[in-house]
Amino acid sequence: MNDILPKDQIWWDLVGQAGRRVAELHNFSFIETPLLESAALFEAGIGVNTDIVEKEMFSFRTKGGDTVALRPEGTAPVMRSYFQHQLGYFSSPLKVFYSGPMFRYERPQAGRERQFHQWGVEIIGDGDPVYDAAVILVCLDFFNEVKLKDIQLKINTLGCRVCRPTYRQKLKDYYRLRKSKLCKDCQRRYDKNAFRLLDCKEEECLKMRGGAPIILDYLCQNCNNHFKSLLEIIEDNNVVYEPDSYLVRGLDYYNRTVFQFHHPSSPQELGGGGRYDYLAELLGGRMIPGVGVALGLERIIDAVRGRNANIQPKLGMKIFWVAVGDQAQKSSLKLMGQLRRAGVIVGENLGRKSLRAQLKAVNRAKVKVALIFGQKEVFEGTIIIRDMETGGQETVFLKNLIEEVRKRLR
Ligand SMILES: [Zn+2]
Ligand SMILES: [Zn+2]
């Protein structure tokens, strides 16, 4: 699990603010669920035979005897909240977004931290493909907002209860003859979750996948229409996509649409999502259609920081306060307070007594303006304003300080 250090906050702010702005423009409301949920929620929702629940959940027993888990993903908690607070009553479909830490007990490696952050949106209560498209479009606006170009969208459908069993059988028939050549994980998956065989990254399994049947050949009429309409809508919106018949995603609750976003600079996908019309039922409710997405913020930030994005986040601080002498130092906090209440971010290094040391700090801070407050200025009720770009300086009365500073920051 990583610390997010002060030097990196500009990137988190940039991406975090972009996510919020874009979600709000698309009329999603913010929802925040607890980091800790009953483990059963994820077992029922994500599926006990998925990697997430089988191997990657941080779950433990509380002193009270409940089995809880740090949330590995955001959709099941949102659906829990949907039922608990009858959110469908207030808006149908419900459109919400979230942003925050998720936890998975994986072997730590670049791009797969055990605590990672996701931004996601959910549209719950409507099965129309226009909403699948809406979820894809809000993501593309997000990528656009953080100036990430060359985003690649892979898309597939997983069918429904009517057509999926036939395809699953065909898939099993295909793999049965080749079972001995599959990796250990896949041999296990064969019985429990055959779709995951398509998801395996082992070389032998990848090779075998090439000849596997694809679901498009087995879709029922409804699923076929749904997928066709979705593709028509995104084409209408000039979205470039790549059909990927083997894209399945690692969660049980998806049906019909699944999709993933990739960026050339990132070895893993930036995120993905899909339709989850059966999730509500798996959690013990009635059937409520839904569609959503989750994007990995660490991966997006890595991509944004990379060469392809021409973003130079601005520093907030433009003013640095320098005080020389005990008396000047003593009255500094009060005067700086006036500036801060006027909305000016003020830096300082007041613990250093010498002018030289403080000026060094001014240079490091790369500010536009330095205010220099010494013994003489205290006595006269003035302060020196130095323009750090031109080197010119001017003495002004303290009573005009805010006005004079504002004039120079304009
Ligand atoms: Zn179907
Ligand atoms: Zn495998």
Side-chain angles (χ1 to χ4, degrees), residues 386-405:
R386 181 186 288 186
D387 185 317
M388 296 306 293
E389 280 156 15
T390 66
Q393 57 182 46
E394 203 180 328
T395 301
V396 304
F397 284 108
L398 278 177
K399 61 174 170 33
N400 302 329
L401 179 59
I402 290 170
E403 196 183 310
E404 293 288 342
V405 164

Side-chain angles (χ1 to χ4, degrees), residues 182-183 185-186 189 200-202 205:
L182 291 168
C183 76
D185 278 339
C186 283
R189 286 171 186 145
C200 185
K201 304 287 184 287
E202 295 291 326
C205 302

Side-chain angles (χ1 to χ4, degrees), residues 157-165 215 218-224 255-256 278:
T157 176
L158 297 180
C160 69
R161 275 176 184 159
V162 176
C163 54
R164 195 151 47 174
I215 193 159
Y218 301 96
L219 289 180
C220 69
Q221 197 58 48
N222 287 339
C223 286
N224 200 41
N255 67 308
R256 290 193 173 160
Y278 305 132

Side-chain angles (χ1 to χ4, degrees), residues 91-153:
S91 109
S92 188
L94 176 75
K95 292 176 68 181
V96 289
F97 76 103
Y98 59 82
S99 187
M102 308 289 164
F103 304 84
R104 286 185 203 173
Y105 190 81
E106 292 189 271
R107 193 160 55 83
Q109 50 180 306
R112 290 194 192 278
E113 285 77 26
R114 287 181 167 180
Q115 176 178 327
F116 58 101
H117 294 73
Q118 284 187 333
W119 170 94
V121 310
E122 314 287 357
I123 301 179
I124 301 176
D126 203 310
D128 196 293
V130 75
Y131 291 112
D132 305 46
V135 167
I136 290 171
L137 291 175
V138 67
C139 293
L140 293 174
D141 278 358
F142 185 5
F143 294 131
N144 193 41
E145 184 79 12
V146 294
K147 304 201 168 43
L148 264 190
K149 296 200 173 70
D150 306 319
I151 293 290
Q152 188 193 11
L153 167 63

Side-chain angles (χ1 to χ4, degrees), residues 13-46:
D13 285 349
L14 186 131
V15 168
Q17 283 161 14
R20 175 170 279 270
R21 195 160 48 238
V22 168
E24 283 171 354
L25 283 172
H26 285 251
N27 196 31
F28 288 87
S29 307
F30 190 58
I31 187 167
E32 207 166 352
T33 61
L35 302 189
L36 208 62
E37 296 269 359
S38 152
L41 172 69
F42 301 109
E43 284 161 9
I46 302 171

Side-chain angles (χ1 to χ4, degrees), residues 219-325:
L219 289 180
C220 69
Q221 197 58 48
N222 287 339
C223 286
N224 200 41
N225 291 343
H226 194 274
F227 195 49
K228 249 178 64 192
S229 314
L230 166 62
L231 296 182
E232 274 167 22
I233 299 166
I234 60 174
E235 278 165 24
D236 261 356
N237 282 278
N238 301 318
V239 173
V240 180
Y241 65 91
E242 194 183 301
D244 179 349
S245 309
Y246 298 124
L247 178 66
V248 289
R249 299 196 49 82
L251 295 88
D252 268 5
Y253 55 54
Y254 288 122
N255 67 308
R256 290 193 173 160
T257 315
V258 282
F259 57 88
Q260 249 176 22
F261 295 102
H262 295 259
H263 187 263
S265 74
S266 178
Q268 295 110 347
E269 75 272 13
L270 297 182
R275 179 157 282 288
Y276 46 84
D277 295 341
Y278 305 132
L279 173 63
E281 228 177 42
L282 291 169
L283 300 183
R286 63 209 148 82
M287 187 177 142
I288 296 164
V291 60
V293 68
L295 303 180
L297 294 184
E298 278 83 356
R299 294 177 189 176
I300 291 179
I301 287 172
D302 281 349
V304 169
R305 288 172 93 150
R307 248 170 305 175
N308 298 318
N310 311 312
I311 307 172
Q312 221 18 279
K314 284 193 202 95
L315 286 172
M317 179 172 62
K318 296 194 180 84
I319 290 268
F320 207 95
W321 186 279
V322 175
V324 187

